[in-house]
Amino acid sequence: MIRIEILSGPESGRVFELDSGTHSVGRASNNDIVLPVDSVSGRHLNLEVSGDTVRFSDLGSTNGTWSGGLQVKDGEWFTGSELKLGSLRLRLVSDEATAAAGGLEDPDAADDAAIHRRAREAAMSGKRKGGLMTALAALFIVGGGAGWWFFLRNDGGVDLQGGERINNGTTAAATATDLLEGFGAFGDEGAWSLDRGVSLQDGRLSSGQEKGGVARLVRRFPAPMSALRFEANLGSGLKVTPLLRWGASEDDGTPSYLWQAPEISTGSSVLSLPEEAAWFELSLRLQGRGDLQELLALEEDSNASPIQLGLFQGETHGANLLLKSSEGVLLTARGSAGSWAVEGTSLRFTPAGSSNLAIRPGAALLASGPALVLAQGGPLGITNGMSLADSPGLLLGGQASRFLMRFPQPSAVRVQDGAAIFSVTEPLLLQGSFKEDLTEAARLSQRIGRAQRERNDRELLEATDELLRDYPFDEDKIQEALLAARGSLESGRARLQDLQERASAVLFAGSVQAMHALADESAALAASLPGTEIAPEASGLQLVLQSAADALDEEQSAAREAYRARLEGALAGPYPALAAWLQKEVQ
């Protein structure tokens, strides 16, 4: 009898016991082992149990069967090793005799089993390279038994990829498998796509400028069943951040998502991937000058945190977030440093220092409503290449799948790869419920209506700007506000045109009093429509009228002074007393 333990999913920890024979595994209820997980096919796998030997064969499942980080069709399942069916992990624990004895009866057999398992993992990880690893795979998978034993026990020893060397017939503890299949040794220049400023030669990935660049590994790897731990030989002055693009299906037409691991330079960089991740691709962001060599990606125990936000579920790892509904992915987030936590009906993100955060809406969220960046003049759809200097936040989705994120202060936002990217220095909330904001939106609508009735254009436009920038929740209210603002602007343009026509007449007539009156009207019009195209025109008209009136005032004053001087001169001889009186009156 053999025992199989479920390591993940809703029935994690459950153990199945199977006798000799053929057993079916899958999601359908008529299987011998029923696994009620969406990523497991109805009939996913067959197990053939013969004594202590277990062989598996995939039945054409949708999400595949994985072992040692690679997709497999069939093979032998060894005690202590794991199989991954879609996102579900299974481990072959032990047979009944082993459980009763507390371990393998023959100590050498324990060593042999460990070597056998490591050899199988090494062969599978090298199956695309041919040569030694392909030969090794053929020896122990096809030939079995004595073939693989002889091959590993030769006096020269064999280096297992990602593991330690086994020499002169000695045994070794289980070794880790490099999930990058050796490409982190930087010996294959064609496997990496490099930005300008980044180079690869002599087994080193180098950054020759302070701003660095990105190196992309042009390979796709099966996602591990838990987490990735990155280790590297890193030169001083260089910071390296792994970026992992992952997807839930091998179909290139399905969405993929980008998560960010901590800097390798800060120590061991560990990143968990979601259970539904079927594959990952790796990019390295380099900052500063220096060299990177001997990069390894090893499997690590997952420390992802599951979350429950109302009807929505997800998981977080550091600043990375996956939130989904029964319809699919709502949104993902990635960040350089920080953490997420559920707070009532919201998710709070707390940055570690200054952090960049990227929010990307998923298909399920976009099906419920648009993804918008709040902006002056009204929200804008999240579109690649967009860049805003001062945004108050994000409004994502609609109906029951609607979220609001307000920035502590207006922030610059740019959109890349379908994600809104911004800098965070203070905690912020991704709100699933925002009653106070809805109340404020209703108050602004009432304020707009009152200003319209009172013909207070300034009040109307200020309230409309605030509604459009910060509270664009109700499409009907927004349209009403826009119509009211449009009416105010049309009235302002008509008033401006009237002022311009009247100003032409008084300037021609030279009426200083009329010029001053029209200048006051122009100033009032500019003050009532601040921030519009009408305001500067009205202010310009005010300046023209005021300048013309001042010039005429000066001209008329000079003419009056000249007249009085002539009059005083004429009176000074025959009428000196009258001339003295006139001078005194003028003074």
Side-chain angles (χ1 to χ4, degrees):
M1 178 177 292
I2 58 102
R3 302 168 69 234
I4 298 171
E5 180 183 4
I6 300 178
L7 300 179
S8 62
E11 295 190 333
S12 178
R14 185 178 177 185
V15 175
F16 293 90
E17 296 183 345
L18 299 178
D19 292 319
S20 294
T22 301
H23 307 274
S24 61
V25 181
R27 193 177 66 251
S29 59
N30 60 349
N31 285 290
D32 299 309
I33 297 180
V34 179
L35 304 174
V37 176
D38 290 342
S39 61
V40 176
S41 295
R43 286 182 59 81
H44 196 114
L45 192 73
N46 264 351
L47 297 176
E48 295 183 8
V49 181
S50 178
D52 298 337
T53 302
V54 181
R55 296 193 62 84
F56 64 88
S57 56
D58 187 274
L59 299 177
S61 63
T62 301
N63 294 318
T65 300
W66 303 80
S67 176
L70 294 173
Q71 188 171 4
V72 293
K73 295 297 183 182
D74 54 55
E76 185 174 348
W77 193 2
F78 299 98
T79 301
S81 65
E82 298 179 10
L83 289 181
K84 183 179 177 185
L85 281 58
S87 65
L88 192 71
R89 297 163 53 206
L90 304 175
R91 179 167 58 199
L92 184 59
V93 181
S94 172
D95 60 16
E96 192 171 48
T98 301
L104 292 171
E105 296 179 0
D106 182 0
D108 288 338
D111 293 333
D112 294 351
I115 296 171
H116 193 165
R117 174 170 54 81
R118 294 201 309 276
R120 180 174 179 275
E121 290 175 351
M124 292 179 65
S125 67
K127 69 179 183 179
R128 302 177 194 173
K129 301 183 181 64
L132 175 62
M133 290 304 173
T134 303
L136 177 57
L139 281 171
F140 85 79
I141 292 178
V142 179
W148 68 265
W149 175 246
F150 174 80
F151 192 85
L152 286 176
R153 291 289 180 138
N154 73 82
D155 290 338
V158 174
D159 282 321
L160 298 183
Q161 180 185 354
E164 59 185 286
R165 186 174 175 86
I166 301 174
N167 290 305
N168 302 321
T170 60
T171 60
T175 57
T177 300
D178 176 21
L179 300 182
L180 298 182
E181 301 180 2
F183 286 101
F186 305 113
D188 186 351
E189 295 184 14
W192 292 88
S193 173
L194 308 176
D195 283 354
R196 178 180 295 181
V198 180
S199 61
L200 192 157
Q201 59 182 354
D202 300 329
R204 296 174 182 269
L205 185 65
S206 303
S207 170
Q209 55 188 12
E210 285 298 325
K211 68 177 183 179
V214 175
R216 300 169 184 84
L217 183 52
V218 191
R219 299 284 299 222
R220 179 172 291 185
F221 303 96
M225 291 177 279
S226 50
L228 289 147
R229 184 178 80 253
F230 293 96
E231 297 180 356
N233 185 347
L234 198 63
S236 61
L238 182 66
K239 296 181 179 180
V240 178
T241 302
L243 301 171
L244 276 78
R245 182 174 298 280
W246 58 269
S249 169
E250 290 290 343
D251 184 359
D252 288 333
T254 59
S256 61
Y257 307 95
L258 190 64
W259 275 17
Q260 185 168 333
E263 288 181 4
I264 297 178
S265 54
T266 61
S268 181
S269 177
V270 179
L271 178 65
S272 296
L273 290 178
E275 285 190 359
E276 53 262 61
W279 56 267
F280 75 89
E281 296 170 348
L282 175 67
S283 296
L284 299 174
R285 180 187 296 147
L286 283 68
Q287 295 174 288
R289 300 174 185 269
D291 296 330
L292 171 69
Q293 57 181 329
E294 299 177 8
L295 175 68
L296 295 175
L298 308 174
E299 191 163 358
E300 178 89 346
D301 291 338
S302 174
N303 58 357
S305 301
I307 58 172
Q308 185 77 39
L309 186 67
L311 298 176
F312 308 134
Q313 296 178 333
E315 57 186 278
T316 69
H317 181 85
N320 300 287
L321 166 71
L322 170 68
L323 190 64
K324 53 190 177 181
S325 68
S326 58
E327 303 299 321
V329 174
L330 291 171
L331 59 87
T332 58
R334 62 178 172 87
S336 52
S339 60
W340 292 89
V342 176
E343 188 173 293
T345 58
S346 302
L347 285 171
R348 175 178 289 274
F349 177 71
T350 303
S354 178
S355 174
N356 286 328
L357 192 65
I359 303 292
R360 181 181 177 187
L365 184 137
L366 294 175
S368 69
L372 305 171
V373 180
L374 301 182
Q376 187 71 36
L380 301 173
I382 290 180
T383 307
N384 284 335
M386 174 194 295
S387 180
L388 293 175
D390 295 296
S391 170
L394 308 176
L395 182 62
L396 308 170
Q399 303 174 5
S401 302
R402 199 173 205 188
F403 299 91
L404 174 67
M405 174 176 281
R406 290 203 182 282
F407 304 145
Q409 56 270 334
S411 175
V413 177
R414 61 185 176 88
V415 179
Q416 180 181 338
D417 192 31
I421 306 171
F422 47 92
S423 180
V424 184
T425 57
E426 302 175 42
L428 53 77
L429 290 178
L430 180 67
Q431 300 171 242
S433 174
F434 33 98
K435 294 181 180 179
E436 292 182 2
D437 295 272
L438 292 171
T439 300
E440 182 62 20
R443 187 189 67 78
L444 284 170
S445 294
Q446 294 174 355
R447 180 180 163 193
I448 291 169
R450 182 172 61 253
Q452 187 177 22
R453 292 190 298 271
E454 297 173 354
R455 298 183 181 279
N456 187 337
D457 293 325
R458 183 186 184 95
E459 181 78 4
L460 188 152
L461 292 178
E462 287 179 351
T464 298
D465 282 347
E466 187 175 356
L467 181 72
L468 293 176
R469 183 187 66 244
D470 297 321
Y471 305 97
F473 305 138
D474 188 320
E475 185 66 27
D476 292 337
K477 296 296 183 184
I478 290 175
Q479 291 303 318
E480 291 175 7
L482 288 173
L483 287 173
R486 187 176 298 119
S488 178
L489 291 175
E490 289 174 354
S491 174
R493 290 192 187 95
R495 289 168 58 192
L496 177 63
Q497 184 176 358
D498 177 65
L499 282 171
Q500 289 169 337
E501 292 174 354
R502 291 160 59 194
S504 296
V506 299
L507 288 170
F508 178 78
S511 171
V512 173
Q513 185 176 2
M515 291 179 191
H516 282 302
L518 286 179
D520 290 342
E521 287 188 50
S522 298
L525 178 60
S528 68
L529 298 171
T532 69
E533 61 183 14
I534 297 172
E537 290 191 54
S539 295
L541 181 59
Q542 175 202 4
L543 181 61
V544 169
L545 289 165
Q546 191 65 53
S547 298
D550 291 344
L552 283 174
D553 275 339
E554 291 178 4
E555 182 180 337
Q556 291 175 4
S557 177
R560 285 193 298 269
E561 287 294 327
Y563 173 74
R564 280 194 296 270
R566 289 194 304 271
L567 182 60
E568 289 173 7
L571 294 174
Y575 306 103
L578 182 59
W581 174 84
L582 181 61
Q583 187 177 16
K584 181 179 179 181
E585 286 297 316
V586 171
Q587 292 174 352

